Amino acid sequence: MQNLKTSIRYLKGIGPAKSKIFSKLGIKTIEDFLTFYPRTYQDRSLLTPIHRLQVGEVQTFVGQVVDYKGKRFQRKGINTTRLILSDGLRNIALLFFNQPHLKEYLPVGQRLVVTGRIRRFGHELQVTNFDYEILSQKEPVDTQRIVPLYPLKEGLSPGTQRLLRRTMHSALDEYLSSIEDPLPFQLISQHRLLDLRNALRTIHFPESFLEMYAARSRLIFNEFFFLMLALGQVKRSRGKMRGIAFRSEGRLISRFIASLPFRLTNAQERVIKVIKTDMALSRPMNRLLHGEVGSGKTVVAICAALLAKEYGYQIALMAPTEILAEQHLLNLKRFLDPLSVRIDLLTSGVKGETRDEILARVARNEIDILIGTHALIQEGVKFGHLGLVIIDEQHRFGVLQRATLFEKAQQGGVYPDLLVMSATPIPRTLALTLYGDLDISFLDELPSGRGKIKTFCRSEKDLPRIYDFMKERIKEDYQAYIVCPLIEANEELGLKAAKEMFEILQSGVFQDLRLGLLHGRMNTAEKTKIMEAFRRREIDILVSTTVIEVGVDIPLATLMLIEHAERFGLSQLHQLRGRIGRGSARSYCILLTTLAISNLVNSEEDVEPLDDELSKAVKRLKTMVGTNDGFKIAEVDLELRGPGEFFGVKQHGMPELKLGHLIRDRRLLELAHQAASLILDEDSTFSNYPLLQKVVKDYLEMRQESSPRD
Ligand code: ADP
Ligand code: MG
């Protein structure tokens, strides 16, 4: 059996020059190459007689070399040769550059198949950019069929397509027979999948588009299946890892809960109980806490932290941004100072001696909860007795990062518990599959007595009324956010920017109010100062960019005005709006947009605007006005955005998938998930499936090698 892991250099006809091209494309092994899938295809199966060719179209035609025409004119060192091809009724010229020996290679009388865009030059038909092949009995590769177009990188000539195609064709001939299908036969027949060899050949050289889709499905299934097997196995093997059995009674939790000014929701109580049970087990907890914005995840996380603290362990709490880390510090101190829990913050803003001192105290177990960004563990902060890692807003981290964190957090073979929290409203089934290596708890209930959020879509002309309304509410002691898409004014885009708005408003309509400015280019100290002032109610209106998007929690802020709302994606709007409606008072979210869009959003009928972008913007804003339900919003987002962009799937940090797309192909994902679970339940070490065992092992090794991404 040929080894597919051998270097691409051993492929026939690959010298150092070609090798370089391959490495540019990230292809190292034969396997990499065979799974270097086409970006798209071009149908060159239809032949058009030369005398029927249409100028401007890409077409495929057959003809005989009848002549080499005209002078070879030389221009800037480029040598042009015009080969004349004829079908007996009409001629067409093929322009070759710098190919002096062409005449010997393609002598008069030779028959060629050519695909290219037809141009006219004077009376003459011409092609300059084309693919051609000598007409023969052999299977065609470059033309006369549906041909693959591969994803090229900058700096590679279009001719690379031919090189790839031809090399692929012969590589398939040479190596396909040595590929064994790792899927159990039963699975293949049950789901009517193509066998692997067939699928690989077809994805590169399909006879029809129908076949190509069948091949894609099989290969996507493959990717998902192994992803699910690997995640499932990680989950199961973690079950065997040594963790800490937290035998805490829950004294601290009781005191904490008693001190809260509100009652826990049923969902919170339920999840806390589950976490307590889970933490008491001797294997490490691996739990995702999935809850809508404002569902009160922090309280649950604090309970988990208190369980660890009571048992003498430390907690690392990590947030995706420094602002959020600082928020957590303020919040937790407020809740936990009375319980004498020692909390500190370590972000990049903490430097010098202070930093050294914190590190020393952490190592001596004199800090119970250390809050920071993900740098906490990546930079190898040494804990004296780390027992629990909490990651907030985990979708910002990614699966790989999470896995690495976990590895780094272990001490002497004992793993801390892990609690990750996310508010990304993805469809539930997808969450179950996507986080296949975690147990999931859904916090699916918002605290009662939560003021409703009313959302309106308005335009510039309503601004005076909106400003009046804001003034009124602020007089009643509430606060407001004004969100702008940019930090600084940009003439070209004609968008309102935070800085500019801040100045205009502070010296204009809101001159009697206290405004604050917050954006991502401010340094940490400035940001903290502003946020604290806002929290202490020393700022009435916070003008900001989307830096406030994640996690910020200020109950008195009940108003939000979003400028240029049509420019924001649904998930972002939803996150932003999640900043208000956090207290008991009613909140108002005003989406400001153009008059035309707001009219469409507010009209009863379903008006279909012509422009696609416009209609999407209308749909987004209509959805925001119509619902607060994150899952519903996620569904619409999915429908509108289509593959590739949905809630920044890339941010979920999935290992590279070559063909499959988690959202677009979610049916296949579910199928693969089921199939993988069945096998894992039956035989979690794959002792009956040696081939599966090997592939999964390779897969996991690959995963561990890859570094975390940002
Ligand atoms: P998220 O789940 O978005 O992280 P938080 O944990 O920040 O939400 O909680 C949002 C707000 O709701 C906070 O001000 C918090 O104190 C409050 N809260 C949490 N649980 C409850 C509850 N059971 N009843 C009332 N308010 C609550
Ligand atoms: Mg939160």
Side-chain angles (χ1 to χ4, degrees):
M1 186 169 113
Q2 305 251 33
N3 189 355
L4 298 175
K5 305 272 181 220
T6 47
S7 163
I8 186 78
R9 263 177 295 142
Y10 296 105
L11 214 57
K12 267 185 224 133
I14 301 291
K18 288 181 185 166
S19 219
K20 215 170 177 178
I21 295 181
F22 282 98
S23 77
K24 255 197 195 143
L25 293 168
I27 301 167
K28 292 194 200 98
T29 64
I30 307 280
E31 182 174 354
D32 292 343
F33 185 47
L34 295 182
T35 55
F36 185 71
Y37 299 121
R39 172 175 58 82
T40 180
Y41 301 84
Q42 203 175 53
D43 190 350
R44 300 180 178 175
S45 53
L46 204 71
L47 295 180
T48 308
I50 295 177
H51 65 277
R52 293 252 191 88
L53 289 174
Q54 302 272 333
V55 174
E57 305 283 311
V58 174
Q59 284 166 302
T60 303
F61 50 92
V62 179
Q64 197 162 24
V65 182
V66 291
D67 203 357
Y68 279 86
K69 252 287 184 53
K71 344 149 202 117
R72 290 198 188 151
F73 47 86
Q74 222 154 345
R75 191 167 45 94
K76 286 183 190 158
I78 297 173
N79 208 329
T80 313
T81 314
R82 285 161 68 227
L83 178 158
I84 308 297
L85 205 70
S86 168
D87 68 350
L89 290 170
R90 175 123 210 224
N91 294 351
I92 183 164
L94 275 52
L95 270 59
F96 288 88
F97 303 103
N98 292 338
Q99 300 216 21
H101 305 296
L102 201 64
K103 227 170 170 170
E104 289 120 69
Y105 175 58
L106 300 175
V108 169
Q110 183 74 264
R111 286 169 59 79
L112 304 179
V113 195
V114 185
T115 303
R117 191 177 297 283
I118 315 299
R119 304 194 318 177
R120 190 200 300 278
F121 195 78
H123 286 299
E124 188 179 73
L125 290 181
Q126 283 189 348
V127 278
T128 42
N129 259 324
F130 55 89
D131 265 324
Y132 74 95
E133 237 169 345
I134 295 171
L135 201 61
S136 73
Q137 303 294 6
K138 278 203 319 209
E139 195 192 334
V141 176
D142 283 318
T143 181
Q144 249 188 307
R145 63 172 313 138
I146 297 174
V147 296
L149 295 178
Y150 294 97
L152 294 189
K153 288 261 162 62
E154 235 175 284
L156 292 178
S157 77
T160 313
Q161 292 288 1
R162 303 178 75 210
L163 167 73
L164 288 172
R165 245 178 254 141
R166 286 165 187 219
T167 319
M168 186 65 78
H169 203 264
S170 57
L172 285 168
D173 281 346
E174 194 179 341
Y175 285 92
L176 220 45
S177 60
S178 60
I179 291 178
E180 273 186 88
D181 199 326
L183 288 196
F185 176 71
Q186 192 196 347
L187 211 65
I188 296 185
S189 66
Q190 185 192 349
H191 297 296
R192 294 165 195 249
L193 299 169
L194 285 189
D195 71 86
L196 189 56
R197 287 180 199 173
N198 201 345
L200 276 172
R201 179 175 289 287
T202 305
I203 193 89
H204 293 289
F205 297 103
E207 296 289 331
S208 69
F209 283 106
L210 211 61
E211 269 193 1
M212 186 272 288
Y213 284 115
R216 272 181 73 87
S217 300
R218 159 63 213 250
L219 295 169
I220 291 173
F221 182 89
N222 228 54
E223 287 185 343
F224 288 160
F225 181 70
F226 284 105
L227 175 61
M228 290 300 128
L229 275 188
L231 286 178
Q233 219 198 15
V234 168
K235 179 174 177 177
R236 272 156 228 251
S237 68
R238 278 186 192 160
K240 293 178 202 121
M241 281 176 183
R242 221 147 48 86
I244 306 152
F246 295 92
R247 302 253 151 69
S248 327
E249 282 169 41
R251 277 177 287 115
L252 283 175
I253 290 192
S254 307
R255 285 175 57 197
F256 166 61
I257 291 175
S259 77
L260 289 175
F262 46 75
R263 287 193 46 192
L264 296 185
T265 63
N266 292 328
Q268 282 170 323
E269 273 181 16
R270 191 189 68 230
V271 173
I272 291 168
K273 221 179 249 165
V274 171
I275 289 178
K276 192 169 175 210
T277 314
D278 204 356
M279 286 181 68
L281 298 179
S282 58
R283 64 156 175 79
M285 171 167 78
N286 255 292
R287 186 164 293 277
L288 170 68
L289 177 56
H290 196 290
E292 182 65 275
V293 275
S295 57
K297 293 186 289 294
T298 315
V299 169
V300 176
I302 291 178
C303 288
L306 291 177
L307 284 171
K309 150 80 183 157
E310 190 178 319
Y311 205 57
Y313 280 87
Q314 291 169 293
I315 298 95
L317 169 57
M318 294 181 287
T321 64
E322 302 207 333
I323 287 202
L324 194 50
E326 285 148 18
Q327 288 287 299
H328 275 314
L329 178 73
L330 293 174
N331 243 329
L332 263 62
K333 272 182 138 353
R334 198 156 43 103
F335 283 130
L336 299 181
D337 276 351
L339 302 181
S340 317
V341 178
R342 299 159 299 180
I343 309 173
D344 226 315
L345 177 77
L346 193 71
T347 57
S348 64
V350 183
K351 295 201 174 86
E353 273 175 37
T354 328
R355 186 178 192 89
D356 295 343
E357 198 203 308
I358 291 180
L359 287 173
R361 279 169 44 227
V362 169
R364 289 198 304 265
N365 204 0
E366 287 168 15
I367 290 176
D368 299 314
I369 303 180
L370 185 64
I371 303 176
T373 61
H374 57 283
L376 265 197
I377 290 212
Q378 262 164 9
E379 287 169 6
V381 175
K382 289 267 176 305
F383 285 81
H385 227 46
L386 182 61
L388 173 68
V389 175
I390 302 174
I391 307 181
D392 196 13
E393 307 293 348
Q394 89 91 32
H395 60 286
R396 296 283 177 114
F397 282 94
V399 171
L400 284 176
Q401 267 188 336
R402 192 180 70 220
T404 351
L405 279 175
F406 197 80
E407 280 308 314
K408 287 206 176 145
Q410 61 120 346
Q411 285 176 333
V414 177
Y415 288 81
D417 280 6
L418 181 68
L419 181 67
V420 298
M421 306 195 278
S422 171
T424 323
I426 54 176
R428 237 171 227 244
T429 46
L430 187 65
L432 286 171
T433 4
L434 196 56
Y435 303 116
D437 62 328
L438 298 167
D439 296 312
I440 306 187
S441 296
F442 288 101
L443 214 51
D444 47 8
E445 181 189 350
L446 289 181
S448 62
R450 206 29 86 75
K452 284 231 160 42
I453 304 180
K454 296 202 91 177
T455 303
F456 302 95
C457 185
R458 293 287 180 263
S459 71
E460 204 84 359
K461 77 170 173 45
D462 304 307
L463 265 183
R465 265 174 46 219
I466 295 172
Y467 288 154
D468 282 345
F469 179 64
M470 288 177 104
K471 284 184 197 159
E472 255 171 58
R473 298 283 294 175
I474 287 167
K475 230 181 257 156
E476 291 165 27
D477 245 8
Y478 293 112
Q479 293 164 281
Y481 295 102
I482 295 180
V483 183
C484 302
L486 296 178
I487 299 178
E488 253 155 317
N490 180 327
E491 300 260 314
E492 253 168 72
L493 291 172
L495 294 177
K496 289 190 218 164
K499 275 185 173 172
E500 181 196 34
M501 281 299 275
F502 169 73
E503 270 151 35
I504 294 176
L505 294 173
Q506 180 69 88
S507 56
V509 265
F510 294 138
Q511 52 183 314
D512 298 330
L513 299 177
R514 297 161 302 176
L515 268 59
L517 173 67
L518 186 76
H519 59 73
R521 248 182 265 146
M522 292 163 58
N523 69 33
T524 314
E526 290 171 324
K527 280 189 269 188
T528 316
K529 209 175 108 206
I530 295 286
M531 279 318 294
E532 275 181 62
F534 193 52
R535 176 180 296 284
R536 283 200 305 265
R537 190 68 192 76
E538 290 162 14
I539 287 176
D540 303 307
I541 301 177
L542 188 63
V543 181
S544 92
T545 58
T546 53
V547 285
I548 54 150
E549 184 186 333
V550 171
V552 174
D553 179 39
I554 305 217
L556 277 181
T558 58
L559 273 171
M560 177 173 283
L561 173 64
I562 303 180
E563 294 274 1
H564 300 287
E566 77 283 351
R567 300 184 58 91
F568 293 93
L570 260 181
S571 70
Q572 214 173 12
L573 288 173
H574 181 62
Q575 282 285 349
L576 283 171
R577 185 171 60 183
R579 298 310 113 217
I580 55 172
R582 299 177 85 86
S584 57
R586 165 166 292 194
S587 288
Y588 299 87
C589 177
I590 298 153
L591 307 167
L592 206 68
T593 182
T594 63
L595 184 59
I597 294 182
S598 80
N599 279 343
L600 287 169
V601 172
N602 293 317
S603 88
E604 291 292 316
E605 302 129 63
D606 260 334
V607 195
E608 274 300 321
L610 288 175
D611 181 71
D612 194 41
E613 280 311 304
L614 184 63
S615 83
K616 281 184 183 175
V618 171
K619 186 92 196 258
R620 284 198 297 269
L621 297 180
K622 241 187 161 134
T623 306
M624 288 299 293
V625 171
T627 182
N628 281 314
D629 181 337
F631 286 103
K632 269 194 204 144
I633 292 176
E635 294 288 348
V636 178
D637 197 47
L638 173 57
E639 181 193 318
L640 288 182
R641 292 220 214 187
E645 294 171 57
F646 171 75
F647 275 112
V649 165
K650 284 199 199 95
Q651 286 183 6
H652 287 293
M654 273 291 148
E656 183 197 359
L657 294 168
K658 289 187 171 181
L659 272 185
H661 188 282
L662 294 166
I663 306 296
R664 182 194 59 205
D665 306 314
R666 60 185 162 157
R667 299 267 174 289
L668 282 170
L669 179 62
E670 274 162 42
L671 263 188
H673 180 57
Q674 285 163 14
S677 307
L678 273 181
I679 291 205
L680 284 164
D681 287 344
E682 173 200 323
D683 178 7
S684 69
T685 54
F686 315 120
S687 50
N688 297 322
Y689 305 97
L691 205 53
L692 277 188
Q693 195 174 44
K694 188 179 165 310
V695 178
V696 173
K697 191 165 157 275
D698 284 352
Y699 191 98
L700 284 171
E701 273 164 16
M702 225 172 62
R703 245 167 77 96
Q704 258 154 27
E705 277 164 27
S706 27
S707 54
R709 39 173 124 158
D710 265 317

